[in-house]
Amino acid sequence: MWLLALLTFREAWRKKVVLVAGVLTLFFLILYGTGLHFILGDIVHQDPVAGSFFDMMEAILLFSMGVYLASFMVAGLAILAAAGSIAGEIENGTLYPLAVRPLLRRDLLLGKFFGLAAMLLTYAALFFLSMAGLIYWQTGLVVPGLLPALCLFILKPMVILSVTILGTTKFTTLGSGVFAFGLYILSVVGGMMEQIGALLGSTVIVYLGVVTNLVMPADAVYRRLVATVIDRIPAGNGHDFSFFNPQQILGPFGSQSTPSDWMLVYTLFYAVFMLTVAVNIFKKRDI
Amino acid sequence: MAIIEVKNITKIYGQQAACSDISFSVEEGQIFGFLGPNGAGKSTLAKILVGLVYPTCGEAEVAGYSPQDIKSRRQVGFLPENFRLHGWLKGEELVSFHARLAGLDGKIAKKRACEVLELVGLSWEGQKLVANYSKGMQQRLGLAVALVGDPKVIFLDEPTSALDPLGRRQVREILLTLKEAGKTVFLNSHLLSEVEQVCDRVAIINRGRVIADGPLDELQAGSATLSIRLNGLTEELAVELRRYYPELQLEGDRLTITLGSREETADLVTMLMTGGCRIYEVTPGRNSLEDIYIYLLKEGK
């Protein structure tokens, strides 16, 4: 299994998947950093104490929105890298020599999963820390709850990866891509509806969002990440800023309706369940 | 001892049967030719025997184990028909990687990779990226990958389809070397002349069913022709012979006759000698594999 994981990781590296993603990410970071510099530099506050608090809030809000966009890129990479990992290799015939080796189909599939997971974890972690680094560079602020937020940021592509791996064992490359991307979009739309429902006080819409996140809990992980960061913002240094709700300012990008710890546990089980189903399908599949 | 045992294997895709009730066995150390037209079910059966495809019903054993069993996979090498190898790896890296998957340790795997690359004539190309290999080189590399685990049974699905005549000859030599080393080779091929040159036993499949199976010599025997050089054949004897053998041909001193079976040769020779003929030469004719193949497919037997 580990030999295959290594092969998959090296394949992503040698085929320049990481390089292309890295260059595009660099452009994103340059754009993001430039935006941060000018947006934060243009705001002038009368009260220095309140000003520093609002600067921090603005930085956190911009960070949260950056994370939202970054998680799209990471999700895209997860889907594109994994959609053909089994289906594509069957279609082009590269899986035959591997599948007749003395290793279980489970190990073959999990080897591919772990190889892709290692690549995605590295990419996502570097991406997240680069954004947090830009925030620190521009504002001197260490993003609150950096470590748990990082863990949540890298959990999201793992969930998407497990769904894509399930798709690739069952469908064609295109089919598995559409399957995973469709579920991801469903999750994002459901998550947005949930937040809007929470802002409007509509329980029905909130529940609708919760149900879609049970079908695919990727967006719930992002919402939890935002809540993790914002909930750890220090109090207003003697000033009362209770009138100011950063989640409201973030609107549909925020976490008005925050996923519970149980939702996180569910997300972990969901990823494991998807992989288990994928292994069972792959075991019985004709290659 | 049978190293491949196939019992009533059937594979149905949707409404179509790729293999229907196929049974045969292959003895250890043989080169077994599996022949048939496109879409006859050859590749499906090979994939069933290496554990890539599950049969709808029936059983198979390779080296004493079910094809899905890891223990069977340790004994098996496979060169598929439509395959591709990871083009981003170098040839030697790829074969070493497969050697490690087959259970060899790092240094031994590398050594073994060099050995099989030399065997298939790619020892100088090992440092090239596989993507830069020609089609024929990739086919040889595929063969090296199939052989790297030192398998007891090697399944080759059209191994010479992309090779030039020299490459084909080289593969034939490799097959004979493997046979000498006691390996069993299961060879799917369209190239009947090649099969004829190397195989001990042959099965012919059409529309998912085996229509002939047996040692190559026996298949080629059948209704044999006999060429006899003689003199003293009288008109009366020739007429009598034509009653038994209507396809008899007489050209000068050479009589060509088609027998029902080779067993009739002795009776024929006795009849000729009793009739006063002097016999100088009796040459048994052989049916080519191509003749048999075409005949069986046309007959739809």
Side-chain angles (χ1 to χ4, degrees):
Chain A
M1 180 169 74
W2 299 114
L3 265 175
L4 273 163
L6 187 65
L7 179 86
T8 309
F9 186 81
R10 282 175 64 195
E11 184 173 14
W13 190 255
R14 288 255 196 113
K15 279 185 166 175
K16 300 188 172 67
V17 173
V18 175
L19 184 70
V20 172
V23 169
L24 289 173
T25 306
L26 193 65
F27 281 125
F28 175 90
L29 289 170
I30 290 169
L31 196 64
Y32 182 68
T34 310
L36 274 182
H37 179 75
F38 286 105
I39 292 168
L40 295 173
D42 286 351
I43 298 170
V44 180
H45 299 288
Q46 300 295 322
D47 181 344
V49 176
S52 77
F53 180 77
F54 282 116
D55 277 348
M56 180 176 69
M57 288 310 304
E58 284 149 9
I60 295 298
L61 295 181
L62 287 170
F63 177 72
S64 299
M65 294 179 92
V67 165
Y68 189 77
L69 296 173
S71 63
F72 263 107
M73 286 182 71
V74 177
L77 181 63
I79 293 169
L80 290 175
S85 58
I86 294 295
E89 292 215 1
I90 291 175
E91 285 157 21
N92 67 27
T94 44
L95 197 68
Y96 298 138
L98 292 177
V100 296
R101 289 292 163 210
L103 76 164
L104 297 171
R105 292 226 183 145
R106 178 199 66 196
D107 292 348
L108 202 163
L109 188 70
L110 291 181
K112 285 194 170 285
F113 173 82
F114 285 124
L116 288 167
M119 183 267 286
L120 285 168
L121 286 180
T122 310
Y123 171 73
L126 287 174
F127 200 167
F128 185 86
L129 291 173
S130 301
M131 283 197 303
L134 281 173
I135 293 286
Y136 179 74
W137 183 35
Q138 291 295 315
T139 66
L141 173 76
V142 175
V143 172
L146 186 66
L147 193 62
L150 172 64
C151 293
L152 288 165
F153 189 75
I154 59 181
L155 173 62
K156 187 173 170 177
M158 294 304 103
V159 176
I160 296 165
L161 179 63
S162 67
V163 169
T164 317
I165 287 283
L166 169 63
T168 197
T169 56
K170 184 76 186 159
F171 309 119
T172 60
T173 303
L174 185 63
S176 61
V178 169
F179 173 70
F181 194 68
L183 279 178
Y184 178 59
I185 292 298
L186 184 78
S187 165
V188 168
V189 172
M192 281 220 176
M193 281 172 62
E194 187 181 340
Q195 300 313 314
I196 293 168
L199 281 169
L200 299 175
S202 168
T203 316
V204 175
I205 299 179
V206 170
Y207 281 158
L208 206 61
V210 171
V211 170
T212 53
N213 270 299
L214 288 173
V215 176
M216 168 63 148
D219 194 73
V221 178
Y222 164 76
R223 304 293 168 186
R224 181 62 188 242
L225 187 162
V226 172
T228 302
V229 172
I230 288 181
D231 289 353
R232 283 175 167 78
I233 293 174
N237 197 20
H239 287 65
D240 180 17
F241 293 112
S242 57
F243 61 92
F244 179 82
N245 183 354
Q247 299 285 19
Q248 268 184 341
I249 294 176
L250 274 172
F253 301 102
S255 186
Q256 289 283 314
S257 167
T258 303
S260 65
D261 288 346
W262 285 112
M263 189 64 189
L264 278 186
V265 173
Y266 172 79
T267 304
L268 290 171
F269 272 106
Y270 178 91
V272 173
F273 177 73
M274 288 291 153
L275 271 182
T276 309
V277 175
V279 166
N280 279 310
I281 290 173
F282 189 50
K283 264 188 199 171
K284 293 170 190 161
R285 179 177 179 168
D286 288 339
I287 295 176
Chain B
M1 193 186 86
I3 197 159
I4 303 174
E5 195 84 55
V6 179
K7 289 178 194 163
N8 311 108
I9 287 278
T10 296
K11 177 66 187 177
I12 297 170
Y13 290 110
Q15 299 290 314
Q16 197 168 355
C19 298
S20 293
D21 199 26
I22 292 181
S23 300
F24 62 80
S25 61
V26 180
E27 298 295 311
E28 190 165 4
Q30 281 188 336
I31 301 184
F32 180 82
F34 199 54
L35 314 174
N38 290 333
K42 303 188 300 291
S43 296
T44 302
L45 188 74
K47 284 183 180 177
I48 288 172
L49 294 178
V50 297
L52 290 177
V53 168
Y54 290 89
T56 308
C57 58
E59 287 173 14
E61 272 189 8
V62 177
Y65 302 101
S66 155
Q68 269 77 33
D69 196 320
I70 293 285
K71 288 173 192 156
S72 166
R73 304 259 183 95
R74 287 207 175 93
Q75 316 284 347
V76 164
F78 179 47
L79 173 67
E81 183 183 11
N82 297 314
F83 72 101
R84 255 177 54 190
L85 298 164
H86 292 96
W88 53 275
L89 284 170
K90 292 174 185 167
E92 194 186 309
E93 279 179 324
L94 180 88
V95 183
S96 291
F97 170 71
H98 276 273
R100 291 181 71 190
L101 281 181
L104 302 178
D105 288 333
K107 276 188 179 173
I108 301 168
K110 208 167 178 182
K111 190 169 167 252
R112 176 70 186 150
C114 293
E115 282 170 15
V116 286
L117 282 173
E118 193 169 343
L119 181 70
V120 300
L122 288 176
S123 51
W124 299 104
E125 312 286 351
Q127 294 307 313
K128 264 189 184 176
L129 280 180
V130 175
N132 296 332
Y133 279 31
S134 69
K135 203 161 180 243
M137 285 163 75
Q138 292 211 11
Q139 188 111 17
R140 289 186 205 196
L141 191 64
L143 186 58
V145 166
L147 298 176
V148 75
D150 194 22
K152 267 187 176 176
V153 190
I154 301 121
F155 290 85
L156 306 174
D157 197 354
E158 304 291 354
T160 55
S161 57
L163 298 180
D164 56 27
L166 195 66
R168 286 179 182 175
R169 185 176 195 158
Q170 199 177 11
V171 169
R172 279 203 302 273
E173 284 165 4
I174 291 171
L175 295 184
L176 294 171
T177 310
L178 291 170
K179 187 185 169 187
E180 274 174 26
K183 311 287 184 190
T184 308
V185 179
F186 184 100
L187 177 66
N188 270 3
S189 181
H190 282 117
L191 300 169
L192 302 175
S193 59
E194 276 184 16
V195 171
E196 204 165 13
Q197 286 178 60
V198 295
C199 289
D200 304 298
R201 188 183 170 92
V202 164
I204 300 175
I205 181 175
N206 190 25
R207 293 181 189 149
R209 289 183 183 279
V210 172
I211 54 174
D213 170 28
L216 196 56
D217 289 340
E218 277 182 24
L219 282 179
Q220 287 180 319
S223 58
T225 56
L226 209 59
S227 176
I228 303 170
R229 194 161 69 84
L230 76 177
N231 70 16
L233 180 65
T234 60
E235 192 57 39
E236 292 78 24
L237 186 55
V239 170
E240 195 181 341
L241 282 173
R242 273 206 173 84
R243 279 174 41 211
Y244 297 106
Y245 307 107
E247 290 175 13
L248 175 149
Q249 287 176 12
L250 184 64
E251 287 175 19
D253 63 349
R254 191 164 289 276
L255 178 71
T256 308
I257 214 159
T258 304
L259 304 176
S261 80
R262 292 205 186 279
E263 303 304 313
E264 296 171 29
T265 307
D267 292 338
L268 176 68
V269 171
T270 308
M271 192 175 174
L272 289 170
M273 290 180 74
T274 313
C277 297
R278 288 174 68 83
I279 296 174
Y280 302 106
E281 191 179 292
V282 179
T283 312
R286 276 171 72 85
N287 295 315
S288 74
L289 187 57
E290 188 174 285
D291 293 338
I292 299 162
Y293 179 83
I294 300 289
Y295 171 75
L296 287 172
L297 291 189
K298 274 188 179 170
E299 288 293 303
K301 270 171 79 179

